[in-house]
Amino acid sequence: MNLWSDDNSSMMEAFMASADLSGYPSWAAPSPAPMTPAPAAAVLSPAPASYFNQETLQQRLQTLIETAKETWTYAIFWQSSVDVATGDSLLGWGDGYYKGGSEEDKRRGRSSASSAADQEHRKRVLRQLNSLISGGPPSDEAVEEEVTDTEWFFLVSMTQSFVNGDGLPGQALFSGQPSWLAGGGMLAVAPCERARQGQQFGIQTIVCFPVGSGVLELGSTGLIFHSNEITNKVRILFSFNGLEVAGGGGGSWIPPPQFSSAAAAVNHGETDPAAMWISDPSVVEIKDLVSPAEIAASKQSVQFENPSSSGLTENPSSMHMQQQFHHEQQQNGVGNPPAQPPLFGNRESNFSEFAMNSSRPQQQQQFNPAETGEILNFSERKRNPPPAIPGASLFSSHQNPKAEDTSKGNKRSAAAAASRVRNNVDEGMLSFSSAPTTCPSSASQVKPNGSGGIVAGGGGGESEHSDLEASVKEVESSRVVEPEKRPRKRGRKPANGREEPLNHVEAERQRREKLNQRFYALRAVVPNVSKMDKASLLGDAISYITELKSKMQSVESENQGLRSQLEVLKNEKETSPGRPDQQQAADRCLQGVKIEVRILAGPEAMIRLQCARMNHPTARLMGALKELDLEVLYASVSVVKEVMVQQATVKMASRRYTQEQLSAALYSRIAELPSA
Amino acid sequence: MNLWSDDNSSMMEAFMASADLSGYPSWAAPSPAPMTPAPAAAVLSPAPASYFNQETLQQRLQTLIETAKETWTYAIFWQSSVDVATGDSLLGWGDGYYKGGSEEDKRRGRSSASSAADQEHRKRVLRQLNSLISGGPPSDEAVEEEVTDTEWFFLVSMTQSFVNGDGLPGQALFSGQPSWLAGGGMLAVAPCERARQGQQFGIQTIVCFPVGSGVLELGSTGLIFHSNEITNKVRILFSFNGLEVAGGGGGSWIPPPQFSSAAAAVNHGETDPAAMWISDPSVVEIKDLVSPAEIAASKQSVQFENPSSSGLTENPSSMHMQQQFHHEQQQNGVGNPPAQPPLFGNRESNFSEFAMNSSRPQQQQQFNPAETGEILNFSERKRNPPPAIPGASLFSSHQNPKAEDTSKGNKRSAAAAASRVRNNVDEGMLSFSSAPTTCPSSASQVKPNGSGGIVAGGGGGESEHSDLEASVKEVESSRVVEPEKRPRKRGRKPANGREEPLNHVEAERQRREKLNQRFYALRAVVPNVSKMDKASLLGDAISYITELKSKMQSVESENQGLRSQLEVLKNEKETSPGRPDQQQAADRCLQGVKIEVRILAGPEAMIRLQCARMNHPTARLMGALKELDLEVLYASVSVVKEVMVQQATVKMASRRYTQEQLSAALYSRIAELPSA
DNA sequence: ATCCACACGTGACGC
DNA sequence: TGCGTCACGTGTGGA
C-alpha cells in the first residue's frame, strides 16, 4: 500500500532488506526497452521457488505466456511459505515472466497514466535496483526508456506479499480454486487491493490458479474470459496431480484427467535436477517449447562455474556488509554516475548464483563447491521446506523482524532434503551410469562415503539414516564389500524392480505438502491458535467452529427478532397498517390457538392466549413477549384438561403496537411451529 | 431417552442388535448381590477398547477405583470410534468397572427411587441379558437381589452412545478437557441427558477425562470435588503423554510431568500383549494392584482354548441366527424356566471369546488358531483402527445400518498392526529368547516364512515389507542364510541398541491417534465434508470457517444496522423515551433473585420466583421450565413497583427433581447471566 | 539429556 | 492398473 507512495525509500528498503537478509537472487527488471515485442522481452528470475526448479519454473512461465492463445501480459508465480514463528501463511514473489502488452497498451501506458513525476520515480527506482545488482553506484544510463504502467506494476509486484489468504492469490491458495477476474469492473470491485491497483495500471484481466505450493497469476491488459484452454495449460505445466480442490462448490477447476503421466514427468524434471542435468527426455518435452540455448545457459549457471560466487558464500557476512553499504548509499543519494553495465534484461547473471548460494550459507560452507557437489547443493535448494525460501523472507523481512527465524527454521529439513536428493541421484543414475560429470559408478558406494566428494547434508558424515543405508552398513559390516552385488540390481531399495516408488515418494511428498498447506491455511483462519502444534490447531479450529456456530445462531435468532420487531415498527409507521400478514396464521388457528389482544389505556395491553397445554406454550408466549419487548405486569396461567389459558397484562416499553400488530406478531411467534 | 421408558423391548433390542451385529463381547452384569463391599464386587469386561488391552483396561479401571481416596461408585471407559461411512464420531461403551456405593447409598437405592415395578423391570431385563449370554431361555434365578439405582444406571450405560460430542463424555473428548460435575445441582443443570439421569439415580458426582482415544468417566454417589490426586492417578494409568489439551482456556489438566516413563511402560504392556504374556515386569507393576488370578484368567481367555468358539467364527451367520433366535424368544415372552446357571458375576465366559472372534471373522478365518497364532491374532485385536471396534459398532449398529461397512473398514490396518506386532515380538523376545510358547528362534526367519505357523496379516505370505525385511531378503538371495548373523544383534532394526525407539513408536502412534481424533471431531463439526480425505476435510473446514466468519460479520453488521435502525425508530416514535437500554444488566440479577421451590404431592412442584421486573424474567422462567421439561399447570405473574413475583405450579413430566435440584437448576438458568 | 512434534520414506489398499 | 490416501516406523531438532 504505502509501497505505492511516492516515497521511494520504503520500496527501496524493501528491496534492500530482501537482498540483505535472505540473499535476493538473480535480478532482472522489466526491459527498459519495452519496444521489443518478441518473446522474452523481459525475464525475471529471482527468488527460488519450492518444488520448482528455478529454471524450469521460469521456462514454464514463459512457455505458458508465449504459447497461450490469449495475449497475457505477465505471469507471476507466488510462492507460498509459512513463518514458523508466527504461523502466518505468506505468499511472496516466487518468479515472474513479463511479456508486455500489445502496442496500444504501450501507447496508453506511456501516454495516459504515468506522469512525468511518475516516470522519474520509476526510473529512479530502477536505477537503484540496477546499482544494487551490479554492485556499483546508481547508474541512470540503464533506464532511458519509459517504464510503462504494466511494467511498473509487474516490477512492483515483487514487493508484494499476501498474508493468510489476503488478496487474490491468497484467496486462490486458500480456497484451492482459481479466481478469474476479467474486466476493469471486476478488478475494481474485487476484494483485493492488488486487483484494483492492477486495474489502475491498465490490467484488465487477472487470474490466479492455485498451483502446488503457490499461486500462478496471469495478467493481461486485454479482456480475457475464462477458457479451459489456459486452465489445461496451467494444469499441464504446473499441476502436481494435487490440484483438485478440497471444497465442494463446483469450481471450474476440475481434477487433472489423464495428464498424470505427463505431469509426473514434469515433476520428475523439476524435482530432480540431476535428471535434468543429464537431459532427461521428459524435460526435453518441455524444453522444446523454449529455446534450447536457455537450457544450456541455465545449466551453466547451475554449475557455479564462477568461483567468486562460492567464495562469497563462504563468508556470508561480507555479503551482508556489501548490501549494507548499498543501502546507505541509497539513502544518501541517488543518481550517481554509472560504472557497470546494467544487468537488466540479461537472463542469467552471476548474481543469480551468488544469491543461490547465499540463501543457505550454513550448509554451503560445509561443501566442497566443486564437481558433483553443486548438484546436491542445488537440489537442496529446490526443496520446499515451508518457511524461508528467500522469496518469502523477502517480504516477511520487512514485515516483521523474524526473518532470521524463518531462514533458520528450514535448516532441519535440509538434511532430509539432501538425503532425499541423494536417493534421487541414485535413481537418476540408473539409466545413465556413465553420466558426464562425476556420478560415482556404484550407487552403493555413493552413500556411505562421506570422504569421496559427496557429502549428503547437514552434519558431515554423520549417521545418514534412511534405513536402506543402515541395511547397507549392516551388509558391509558382516561381509566385505561385494562388488559383484552391484550389477545385480543397481540401486537397492526398489524391492520390486519397478521405479514406481520414486514417483510414489514424490506423490507422498506432495500430499504432505498439500496437507501442510491446508494446515497453515487453517491456522490462518482460526484466531487464537494456542500452540503451534497440529493437534492443538485442530482442536482450536473445532472449538472455534462450534463457538462460531452457536454464536451464529444466537446472532441470527436475535437478528430474526430484530427484524420482526422492525417490521412491526415499520408497519405501524405507515399508520394505516391494513395488512399484517396473518394469512398463514389462519389455518393454524384451527389447531386451537386463539389469541386475543386488547389495547388498554396508555402503553398497556391485555393478551389472552388459549392453546393446547403441550410443548410449553408458556415459554413461547413469554419468549414472544420478550422479543416484542413487552414487559409483563401481570400474568396468569391455568390449565383445564388439555387446554391452557394464559392471560397477561403487558406494558409496551420501547414501542407501542396497535392491536392488529400485536396480534399478528404474537400469532407469528406462537402459532407457528418453532423453527427447530 | 426412550431407553428409559418402561417398555423394555427397545432396550432389549439395543442389546440384541449389538450382540447380533457386531459380536458383543464378554458379558457380566453388576453383581446382583450388592452387599459385597469388597473390591471387584462386579466386573464388566465387554467391548474391547482400542489401545487398551481389554484385561489391562479392566484392571486399570479397577485399580483406579479401588485405590482412590475418594469413593467412586463406578468407572466407565467410553471408547471413541468413527463411522467411516458417515464420518460421525461415536463414543460407545468400552469397558466399565462397578464397585458399588456406600451402605446408605444402597439403602437409599433400594428404598426410595425404584418402585416395585421398576425392580421388576430391571430384573426382567437382567434375566433377558442373562439368557442372551448363557444361550438358554430366560432364567430368573440369577436375578434375585434387588438391582439398585446405581447398578441399573451403570448397566444401562452400556447402551449409551454419544455422537459428535454429545453429552458429557463427548464434550470432554471434543474439548480435550476434563469436566467435573459435583453435586446434584450441577448434574441436574448439566447440558447432558446422561448427567441428569445419573443424578436421578442417585449419582452425585460425574467426572469425564479425555483419555487417549476415549473418555474415562468416573461416577460416585457421594459428593467428590475436584482433586489433583485422582487426576494424577488417571493420568498415570491412562495417559499416553498426549493428554494435554489443545484449546487454551487454563484447564486444570496440566500436561503430564515426569510420569512419562511409567506411562510408557504401561503403554508397552497394554499395546504389546505378547510382552505381557511373557510377564513383562513393567506390567507387573500394575498387576500387583489386582488379583493375579485375574490375570491368569484373562490370559486364558486370550488363548481361545475353547475350540467351539473358533468354530463359530467360521460361520458368522450361524451366530447371527442364534441371536435371532434369542431375539424372537425374548419377544415372545419372558420369565421362562431356568436352564443354565447364570453367568452374571462371572468374570470370564465363553461368550467373551466368542465375541472376540466374531468381531473380525474375515481375518480370523484365515488363521490357524493354534499356538502363536493367537498372539498375533489377539494383538490384531488390540489395535485401534478408528472404526469398527466392536464397542463402537455396538452402538452404531443400531443407529444406522452401516455397521457392516465399519467392520470392513478396519481390515486395512489389521495387517499393519500385525506387522507392528511382529516387530514388537522381535523386540520383546530380546530378553526371552526361550519364550514358553513358540517364538521362532531367529527373527529373520520369522518374517518371511508364511508357511511355518505365523502368518502376519491379511494376505497370505505376501511380501511382508518393512524394508529391513527387504534387505534381509536381499542378503538371503545373494548369500545363503547365515545362521551366525543372528546372535550378532538379534532382531535387526534397532540400529542403535537402545530401546528408546520402542517408546518412541508408541508415542508417535499416540500422536497420530490424537491427531486423527481431532480430524474426526473436526469432520463432525464441519457440515458437507465433500470427500473423506484429510486434505479435503481441512479445506472444507477452512472454507466453512471463512464462510461462517463472513456470514457472521454480515449478520452481525446487519444486526447492528437493524439495531440502530430500531433505535432511531424508537427514539423518534417514543415521545417520552425513558432509557430502555439495558445491556449492562449483567450483574443485576444476582442481587434480589429469590427462588422458592416446594415439592408437592406426586410429580408436582411449586415454584416461586421473585426478582427485578426488567429483562423479561417471565421469559426466562418459562424458558427454564421448558428446558427442565416442567409442564406448567398454573402460573401467575404480578408486578409491584420494580419487583416481579412469579408463581407457578408445575408437573415433572419426564423427570423428577428434588427440591435442591430444582432450585439449583432454576437458579442457574435464571439468576446467572445468559450464556451469550 | 529427555520428551515432543514433525517430516520423511515406505507398504498397503481401494478406485 | 496406476494413483492417491493412509498409517506406520524412524530420524531429527527444539524445548
Side-chain angles (χ1 to χ4, degrees):
Chain A
M1 192 62 142
N2 46 7
L3 285 175
W4 295 85
S5 70
D6 261 354
D7 170 32
N8 70 346
S9 73
S10 68
M11 167 170 298
M12 290 313 296
E13 237 168 328
F15 279 114
M16 292 299 187
S18 65
D20 188 22
L21 280 178
S22 61
Y24 200 82
S26 69
W27 261 100
S31 165
M35 318 308 295
T36 26
V43 170
L44 283 172
S45 56
S50 80
Y51 271 115
F52 300 99
N53 170 312
Q54 191 62 32
E55 281 70 27
T56 62
L57 172 54
Q58 174 63 231
Q59 289 161 21
R60 243 172 298 167
L61 292 176
Q62 180 176 353
T63 303
L64 192 66
I65 294 284
E66 300 296 347
T67 65
K69 203 168 68 241
E70 311 91 356
T71 59
W72 296 101
T73 308
Y74 68 88
I76 294 177
F77 177 71
W78 299 103
Q79 169 65 52
S80 166
S81 64
V82 170
D83 186 327
V84 290
T86 66
D88 284 337
S89 167
L90 280 170
L91 267 183
W93 179 274
D95 205 343
Y97 176 80
Y98 181 84
K99 177 189 180 184
S102 55
E103 300 309 313
E104 80 267 33
D105 285 335
K106 279 163 202 152
R107 226 184 314 108
R108 190 159 56 94
R110 201 190 317 241
S111 61
S112 71
S114 52
S115 67
D118 272 343
Q119 276 299 326
E120 188 43 47
H121 169 218
R122 292 176 186 177
K123 289 181 183 174
R124 212 164 52 219
V125 172
L126 275 189
R127 249 177 271 131
Q128 291 293 328
L129 292 174
N130 221 348
S131 74
L132 168 65
I133 292 158
S134 65
S139 134
D140 54 8
E141 103 178 2
V143 194
E144 293 169 346
E145 300 278 347
E146 286 216 330
V147 183
T148 65
D149 281 357
T150 49
E151 281 169 351
W152 183 244
F153 177 67
F154 179 76
L155 174 63
V156 145
S157 299
M158 283 183 270
T159 66
Q160 291 273 40
S161 67
F162 308 93
V163 239
N164 295 338
D166 272 354
L168 224 52
Q171 283 173 10
L173 179 70
F174 273 28
S175 73
Q177 298 185 348
S179 55
W180 195 291
L181 296 187
M186 287 289 285
L187 292 181
V189 303
C192 171
E193 194 66 20
R194 174 172 175 77
R196 282 193 286 275
Q197 288 163 346
Q199 185 256 351
Q200 214 171 330
F201 281 100
I203 303 295
Q204 293 260 32
T205 305
I206 295 184
V207 193
C208 284
F209 298 96
V211 121
S213 63
V215 172
L216 176 70
E217 174 184 327
L218 298 179
S220 174
T221 53
L223 245 160
I224 302 178
F225 291 105
H226 186 289
S227 80
N228 278 335
E229 191 240 349
I230 188 70
T231 302
N232 281 334
K233 220 182 267 284
V234 170
R235 192 191 302 142
I236 297 171
L237 281 171
F238 290 85
S239 163
F240 299 136
N241 297 336
L243 286 185
E244 74 274 29
V245 185
S252 58
W253 191 248
I254 47 175
Q258 271 315 75
F259 291 114
S260 34
S261 64
V266 170
N267 282 344
H268 186 237
E270 81 204 5
T271 53
D272 191 351
M276 181 185 156
W277 168 258
I278 55 182
S279 68
D280 186 317
S282 67
V283 178
V284 181
E285 201 174 300
I286 300 296
K287 207 167 44 183
D288 57 8
L289 295 173
V290 239
S291 151
E294 277 183 32
I295 303 281
S298 52
K299 271 185 202 162
Q300 279 194 338
S301 79
V302 174
Q303 281 193 88
F304 305 123
E305 76 281 27
N306 185 352
S308 75
S309 62
S310 60
L312 248 181
T313 57
E314 283 174 5
N315 186 4
S317 65
S318 72
M319 158 191 127
H320 186 93
M321 285 174 57
Q322 188 183 10
Q323 301 305 330
Q324 202 56 29
F325 170 71
H326 286 304
H327 194 193
E328 287 172 11
Q329 207 177 34
Q330 173 262 333
Q331 280 188 328
N332 288 342
V334 289
N336 296 9
Q340 282 85 353
L343 286 168
F344 281 72
N346 290 350
R347 207 150 302 150
E348 306 292 342
S349 74
N350 290 338
F351 189 81
S352 123
E353 298 119 38
F354 158 73
M356 273 154 64
N357 273 341
S358 62
S359 67
R360 269 181 183 72
Q362 60 271 45
Q363 285 112 22
Q364 299 264 354
Q365 292 179 36
Q366 304 179 0
F367 282 37
N368 177 4
E371 302 241 308
T372 62
E374 290 84 69
I375 295 185
L376 290 177
N377 239 346
F378 175 79
S379 49
E380 226 185 43
R381 185 177 151 276
K382 95 191 145 42
R383 274 305 292 148
N384 178 27
I389 44 109
S393 47
L394 157 65
F395 302 107
S396 62
S397 63
H398 67 88
Q399 282 180 346
N400 61 49
K402 303 208 185 99
E404 209 67 58
D405 280 346
T406 61
S407 73
K408 209 181 64 184
N410 75 8
K411 206 174 53 181
R412 175 220 298 243
S413 47
S419 79
R420 191 182 328 117
V421 166
R422 185 202 53 210
N423 283 345
N424 282 350
V425 170
D426 290 352
E427 303 276 343
M429 293 311 168
L430 286 180
S431 40
F432 294 89
S433 58
S434 64
T437 13
T438 75
C439 183
S441 55
S442 162
S444 66
Q445 290 170 350
V446 173
K447 276 153 276 151
N449 67 355
S451 61
I454 299 186
V455 180
E462 214 202 52
S463 91
E464 201 53 40
H465 61 297
S466 157
D467 50 18
L468 59 105
E469 182 171 47
S471 58
V472 167
K473 264 189 201 149
E474 192 175 61
V475 169
E476 282 182 340
S477 63
S478 66
R479 309 290 296 168
V480 275
V481 221
E482 293 179 353
E484 72 276 15
K485 202 199 296 174
R486 173 175 56 81
R488 178 184 144 286
K489 207 63 178 286
R490 37 54 244 258
R492 343 236 357 286
K493 134 181 52 85
N496 331 9
R498 69 185 185 282
E499 68 287 355
E500 192 209 340
L502 196 142
N503 285 357
H504 182 39
V505 305
E506 191 58 31
E508 177 66 13
R509 222 173 284 166
Q510 287 159 22
R511 174 181 160 269
R512 274 195 296 263
E513 172 75 19
K514 189 169 76 173
L515 245 173
N516 276 341
Q517 284 297 334
R518 295 285 157 80
F519 267 110
Y520 301 138
L522 182 64
R523 179 168 291 135
V525 297
V526 176
N528 301 328
V529 247
S530 44
K531 288 163 43 198
M532 293 305 265
D533 161 32
K534 274 185 190 170
S536 311
L537 166 62
L538 282 183
D540 286 353
I542 293 166
S543 54
Y544 181 58
I545 287 183
T546 53
E547 172 198 334
L548 223 52
K549 262 184 177 169
S550 67
K551 202 190 265 179
M552 184 71 173
Q553 76 180 16
S554 85
V555 165
E556 219 158 28
S557 73
E558 183 186 357
N559 210 336
Q560 192 78 8
L562 285 175
R563 196 187 303 274
S564 60
Q565 207 169 331
L566 199 66
E567 190 181 333
V568 171
L569 221 61
K570 272 185 191 154
N571 279 351
E572 185 200 77
K573 195 113 183 231
E574 290 157 10
T575 63
S576 61
R579 278 255 40 83
D581 53 340
Q582 66 220 85
Q583 68 282 12
Q584 69 269 45
D587 50 353
R588 277 178 205 93
C589 256
L590 300 178
Q591 293 168 345
V593 176
K594 208 164 107 184
I595 297 183
E596 209 178 315
V597 173
R598 202 165 303 160
I599 304 295
L600 307 179
E604 297 182 4
M606 195 277 288
I607 296 168
R608 191 171 176 282
L609 165 64
Q610 177 176 329
C611 60
R613 75 175 179 89
M614 295 310 288
N615 296 322
H616 304 279
T618 53
R620 296 178 83 170
L621 175 60
M622 296 306 169
L625 296 185
K626 176 185 176 185
E627 276 186 37
L628 299 173
D629 201 18
L630 297 170
E631 295 176 7
V632 175
L633 298 180
Y634 168 81
S636 80
V637 179
S638 52
V639 172
V640 181
K641 295 182 78 173
E642 290 303 307
V643 176
M644 171 180 283
V645 178
Q646 299 183 67
Q647 200 150 358
T649 312
V650 299
K651 179 177 148 198
M652 297 182 258
S654 52
R655 58 155 273 87
R656 306 216 182 149
Y657 303 88
T658 67
Q659 181 181 335
E660 294 85 2
Q661 289 163 8
L662 205 48
S663 180
L666 287 173
Y667 248 116
S668 71
R669 283 173 177 74
I670 293 166
E672 286 171 13
L673 3 160
S675 58
Chain B
M1 191 63 140
N2 47 6
L3 283 177
W4 295 86
S5 69
D6 263 353
D7 171 31
N8 71 346
S9 73
S10 66
M11 168 173 298
M12 290 313 296
E13 236 168 329
F15 278 114
M16 294 298 188
S18 64
D20 188 24
L21 280 177
S22 61
Y24 202 81
S26 71
W27 261 98
S31 165
M35 319 306 296
T36 27
V43 171
L44 283 172
S45 56
S50 78
Y51 269 116
F52 300 100
N53 170 311
Q54 191 64 29
E55 282 70 27
T56 62
L57 173 54
Q58 174 64 231
Q59 288 162 22
R60 243 170 299 165
L61 292 176
Q62 180 175 354
T63 304
L64 192 66
I65 294 284
E66 300 297 346
T67 65
K69 203 166 67 245
E70 310 90 355
T71 58
W72 296 100
T73 307
Y74 68 88
I76 293 176
F77 177 71
W78 299 102
Q79 169 66 53
S80 166
S81 65
V82 171
D83 186 328
V84 291
T86 66
D88 284 337
S89 167
L90 280 170
L91 267 183
W93 178 275
D95 205 343
Y97 175 80
Y98 181 83
K99 178 190 180 184
S102 54
E103 300 309 313
E104 80 267 29
D105 285 336
K106 279 161 202 153
R107 226 182 315 110
R108 190 159 59 93
R110 200 187 317 237
S111 61
S112 72
S114 52
S115 67
D118 274 344
Q119 276 299 325
E120 189 42 49
H121 167 220
R122 291 176 187 178
K123 288 181 184 173
R124 213 163 53 220
V125 172
L126 275 188
R127 249 176 272 134
Q128 291 294 328
L129 291 174
N130 221 348
S131 74
L132 169 64
I133 293 159
S134 64
S139 135
D140 53 7
E141 101 177 4
V143 195
E144 293 168 346
E145 299 277 347
E146 288 217 327
V147 184
T148 64
D149 281 358
T150 49
E151 281 169 350
W152 183 245
F153 176 66
F154 179 77
L155 174 64
V156 144
S157 298
M158 283 182 269
T159 66
Q160 292 273 35
S161 66
F162 308 93
V163 239
N164 293 340
D166 271 355
L168 223 53
Q171 284 173 9
L173 179 71
F174 272 28
S175 74
Q177 297 186 349
S179 56
W180 194 293
L181 295 187
M186 287 290 284
L187 291 182
V189 304
C192 170
E193 194 67 19
R194 173 172 175 76
R196 283 194 285 275
Q197 287 163 347
Q199 183 259 348
Q200 210 172 335
F201 281 103
I203 303 293
Q204 293 261 30
T205 306
I206 295 183
V207 193
C208 283
F209 297 97
V211 119
S213 64
V215 172
L216 176 70
E217 173 184 326
L218 298 179
S220 174
T221 53
L223 245 158
I224 301 178
F225 290 105
H226 187 289
S227 80
N228 278 336
E229 191 240 350
I230 188 70
T231 302
N232 280 335
K233 220 182 266 286
V234 171
R235 191 191 303 142
I236 296 170
L237 279 172
F238 290 86
S239 164
F240 299 136
N241 298 336
L243 287 184
E244 71 276 25
V245 184
S252 59
W253 191 248
I254 49 175
Q258 270 315 76
F259 292 115
S260 34
S261 64
V266 170
N267 281 343
H268 183 239
E270 81 204 5
T271 54
D272 190 351
M276 182 184 154
W277 171 257
I278 56 180
S279 68
D280 187 317
S282 66
V283 178
V284 181
E285 203 175 299
I286 301 295
K287 211 167 38 183
D288 56 5
L289 295 173
V290 241
S291 149
E294 276 183 34
I295 305 275
S298 51
K299 270 183 202 160
Q300 278 193 338
S301 80
V302 174
Q303 279 192 93
F304 307 123
E305 77 277 32
N306 185 353
S308 74
S309 63
S310 61
L312 249 181
T313 58
E314 284 174 6
N315 187 4
S317 64
S318 71
M319 159 190 125
H320 187 90
M321 285 175 58
Q322 190 182 7
Q323 301 305 330
Q324 202 55 30
F325 171 67
H326 285 303
H327 195 190
E328 288 171 10
Q329 210 175 30
Q330 174 263 333
Q331 280 187 328
N332 289 340
V334 288
N336 296 10
Q340 283 85 353
L343 284 169
F344 280 74
N346 289 352
R347 209 147 301 151
E348 304 294 340
S349 73
N350 290 337
F351 189 81
S352 128
E353 298 118 40
F354 158 74
M356 272 153 66
N357 272 341
S358 62
S359 67
R360 269 181 184 72
Q362 59 274 44
Q363 284 113 23
Q364 301 263 355
Q365 292 177 33
Q366 304 180 358
F367 282 37
N368 176 5
E371 303 245 309
T372 62
E374 291 86 328
I375 295 184
L376 291 177
N377 239 345
F378 175 79
S379 50
E380 224 185 46
R381 188 177 150 278
K382 97 194 145 39
R383 275 304 293 149
N384 177 27
I389 44 111
S393 47
L394 158 63
F395 302 107
S396 62
S397 63
H398 67 87
Q399 283 180 347
N400 61 49
K402 306 209 183 98
E404 211 67 58
D405 279 347
T406 60
S407 75
K408 208 183 65 184
N410 74 7
K411 204 175 55 180
R412 175 220 300 240
S413 47
S419 80
R420 189 183 331 115
V421 166
R422 184 203 54 209
N423 283 344
N424 283 351
V425 169
D426 290 352
E427 304 272 343
M429 292 311 168
L430 280 177
S431 41
F432 294 90
S433 60
S434 65
T437 15
T438 76
C439 183
S441 53
S442 162
S444 64
Q445 289 168 352
V446 173
K447 275 152 279 149
N449 68 355
S451 61
I454 299 187
V455 180
E462 216 202 49
S463 87
E464 201 51 41
H465 61 298
S466 159
D467 52 15
L468 55 108
E469 182 172 51
S471 59
V472 167
K473 263 189 203 151
E474 192 176 61
V475 170
E476 282 181 342
S477 62
S478 66
R479 308 291 296 171
V480 276
V481 219
E482 293 180 352
E484 71 278 13
K485 202 199 298 176
R486 173 175 55 81
R488 180 182 144 286
K489 210 51 182 297
R490 277 226 65 279
R492 343 231 5 282
K493 136 183 51 84
N496 329 8
R498 71 183 183 282
E499 67 286 358
E500 193 214 339
L502 200 143
N503 287 357
H504 184 37
V505 307
E506 190 57 32
E508 177 64 15
R509 220 173 286 167
Q510 289 154 22
R511 175 180 160 270
R512 274 194 297 261
E513 172 73 19
K514 190 170 75 173
L515 246 172
N516 277 340
Q517 283 298 333
R518 295 285 158 80
F519 267 110
Y520 299 139
L522 182 64
R523 180 167 291 137
V525 298
V526 176
N528 301 330
V529 246
S530 44
K531 290 167 33 201
M532 292 304 263
D533 156 35
K534 274 184 189 171
S536 311
L537 167 63
L538 282 182
D540 285 353
I542 294 166
S543 53
Y544 181 58
I545 287 183
T546 52
E547 172 198 335
L548 223 51
K549 259 182 176 171
S550 68
K551 200 192 268 179
M552 184 71 171
Q553 76 180 17
S554 86
V555 163
E556 220 158 29
S557 72
E558 182 186 359
N559 212 335
Q560 192 81 5
L562 284 175
R563 201 185 300 274
S564 62
Q565 202 173 336
L566 203 62
E567 194 173 337
V568 169
L569 226 57
K570 270 186 207 162
N571 280 349
E572 103 186 8
K573 197 87 183 186
E574 281 273 342
T575 50
S576 62
R579 266 259 43 89
D581 205 348
Q582 65 257 47
Q583 76 283 13
Q584 66 279 43
D587 48 11
R588 74 242 153 177
C589 271
L590 289 181
Q591 64 266 27
V593 174
K594 209 164 101 184
I595 298 184
E596 209 178 313
V597 173
R598 203 166 302 160
I599 305 293
L600 305 179
E604 296 183 4
M606 195 275 288
I607 296 167
R608 191 171 176 281
L609 165 65
Q610 176 176 329
C611 61
R613 75 175 179 87
M614 297 307 289
N615 296 322
H616 304 280
T618 53
R620 296 178 85 167
L621 175 60
M622 295 308 169
L625 296 184
K626 177 183 176 187
E627 276 185 38
L628 299 173
D629 202 17
L630 298 170
E631 294 177 6
V632 176
L633 299 179
Y634 168 79
S636 80
V637 179
S638 52
V639 173
V640 182
K641 296 181 76 171
E642 290 303 307
V643 176
M644 169 181 285
V645 178
Q646 299 184 66
Q647 200 150 356
T649 311
V650 299
K651 179 176 147 200
M652 298 184 257
S654 57
R655 236 181 350 265
R656 305 223 180 142
Y657 303 88
T658 68
Q659 181 180 332
E660 298 87 357
Q661 292 161 9
L662 204 50
S663 179
L666 287 172
Y667 201 90
S668 74
R669 281 176 174 73
I670 294 166
E672 284 168 15
L673 20 152
S675 59

